Amino acid sequence: MEELKLTINMLPKGAWNNDFSKTLSKKDWDKLREFALTRANNQCEICGYKTDDLDVHEEWEFDVKKKTQTLKKIIAICSRCHGVKHFKNSVRLGFGEEAQKHFLKVNNCSEMQFASHLNKALLEYEERNKIFRWKIIADLENFGGKDIQFKQNNIPLIKNPYENVEWDMLSFEETKSLFEIKRNDNLIGAPKILNVYVDNYQGMICVKSLFADKIEWFLDGEKIKTKYNVIGLFTTQIKIKDFTGARLKFKLTGIGGEVVSKTFEILPLEVL
């Protein structure tokens, strides 16, 4: 099979917030964006479609062993080619069939060749998802970004004390062993934990509960965040980007009492 003009590039979960369109200032990203658009001159750099409404797309090369993502291209492409690049998202939005047709047309290939390429992209995506953090390598001067500086994301890893808890099957007695529970002298019970979920790709802890008026977060014993609930289901989250502490806990408080979590350990991460 000849080299494809249009390929599917699935960003692994650990790299979802590393793209420069999100991490750079608007001024710096616009500089890179305009450099690509000027070079393209209103013509998609993949399929050749002429339009004054091109998207700008970053292409990265991933090295699983070194845990690096290297910027290879910043190109101006039409929305149809962009939909193929982000094929999983196109499928999610209901445009998978249109993206497949465009892939076949641009590459002048068979459905079997498309299926083979998609399967390879999916296998690479799953393999790369084993990495929580990637080190970014980019020479932005090559893309019109002379003197533009960028920072690596500082997102520690979270050691979850509730990693293997089956929340749907949890009894009250089991709950008492997982949390420090204090009940007030009334008919309303202390807040009830429905789920605690840790997303280590994005560095986030999510807590879902009932009968809670507020949640307080404590880092190394010092309160760092409070969020209040009006009524009913309480779903809240905290992001640990740039955290420098080591031990994180939360306390849920309601009319019926309070619930204190076990400790989430914040682990400094060296990417390499």
Side-chain angles (χ1 to χ4, degrees):
M1 182 176 177
E2 297 181 1
E3 184 176 352
L4 297 172
K5 291 176 61 178
L6 176 58
T7 57
I8 297 170
N9 304 113
M10 297 184 186
L11 275 179
K13 295 178 182 179
W16 283 357
N17 288 325
N18 285 351
D19 45 317
F20 290 126
S21 62
K22 294 179 181 177
T23 60
L24 292 179
S25 68
K26 184 179 185 304
K27 177 183 177 182
D28 284 345
W29 171 244
D30 282 347
K31 190 174 181 180
L32 301 179
R33 182 174 177 275
E34 289 304 319
F35 185 84
L37 290 173
T38 300
R39 181 187 61 238
N41 192 26
N42 295 332
Q43 184 170 332
C44 176
E45 295 188 83
I46 295 179
C47 73
Y49 178 71
K50 292 186 177 181
T51 175
D52 60 0
D53 188 25
L54 293 172
D55 299 335
V56 175
H57 173 74
E58 303 163 51
E59 291 211 351
W60 298 87
E61 181 177 270
F62 293 90
D63 188 320
V64 172
K65 290 184 178 179
K66 294 182 178 179
K67 301 180 183 177
T68 58
Q69 62 174 106
T70 303
L71 184 65
K72 305 304 291 184
K73 297 178 184 177
I74 299 180
I75 53 176
I77 57 178
C78 68
S79 59
R80 289 176 296 180
C81 285
H82 211 180
V84 173
K85 288 292 185 184
H86 298 288
F87 186 75
K88 278 177 69 69
N89 194 48
S90 292
V91 170
R92 182 180 65 84
L93 295 173
F95 299 109
E97 186 175 342
E98 289 86 344
Q100 179 179 340
K101 287 180 180 178
H102 190 64
F103 179 98
L104 297 176
K105 179 181 177 181
V106 173
N107 290 310
N108 190 28
C109 66
S110 67
E111 291 188 3
M112 185 174 293
Q113 288 171 315
F114 166 79
S116 176
H117 177 70
L118 175 59
N119 185 58
K120 181 176 181 292
L122 287 169
L123 289 173
E124 289 177 344
Y125 176 73
E126 293 303 325
E127 179 67 17
R128 292 166 183 171
N129 279 341
K130 296 176 182 177
I131 309 301
F132 288 116
R133 303 286 181 272
W134 297 90
K135 181 179 179 181
I136 300 172
I137 299 175
D139 184 354
L140 294 182
E141 187 171 353
N142 291 333
F143 309 103
K146 184 178 180 180
D147 299 325
I148 292 180
Q149 302 295 319
F150 66 91
K151 294 181 180 180
Q152 302 287 343
N153 272 331
N154 177 28
I155 305 178
L157 284 176
I158 307 164
K159 187 175 180 180
N160 183 8
Y162 304 112
E163 184 70 38
N164 299 312
V165 175
E166 296 183 14
W167 296 99
D168 292 338
M169 308 294 292
L170 205 61
S171 69
F172 179 69
E173 289 301 316
E174 290 171 323
T175 301
K176 290 195 295 183
S177 69
L178 298 175
F179 298 92
E180 180 184 334
I181 302 174
K182 183 185 297 184
R183 299 186 64 177
N184 295 335
D185 294 329
N186 55 40
L187 297 177
I188 301 175
K192 180 179 180 181
I193 307 292
L194 300 179
N195 188 277
V196 177
Y197 170 69
V198 170
D199 181 349
N200 252 320
Y201 293 109
Q202 305 304 313
M204 182 169 60
I205 304 172
C206 303
V207 180
K208 185 182 292 186
S209 64
L210 287 171
F211 316 125
D213 296 328
K214 68 177 180 180
I215 187 170
E216 297 167 289
W217 291 93
F218 299 85
L219 183 61
D220 293 337
E222 181 178 343
K223 185 162 64 175
I224 58 169
K225 183 178 181 181
T226 302
K227 186 174 181 180
Y228 294 91
N229 184 38
V230 178
I231 191 172
L233 181 66
F234 189 25
T235 301
T236 185
Q237 64 188 34
I238 189 169
K239 295 183 178 181
I240 66 163
K241 183 178 180 179
D242 298 324
F243 274 25
T244 57
R247 299 170 65 81
L248 183 67
K249 300 177 77 170
F250 68 80
K251 180 171 72 174
L252 284 164
T253 305
I255 296 174
E258 63 183 34
V259 174
V260 179
S261 73
K262 291 185 177 182
T263 298
F264 298 82
E265 293 185 44
I266 308 301
L267 308 175
L269 179 70
E270 293 295 335
V271 181
L272 291 180

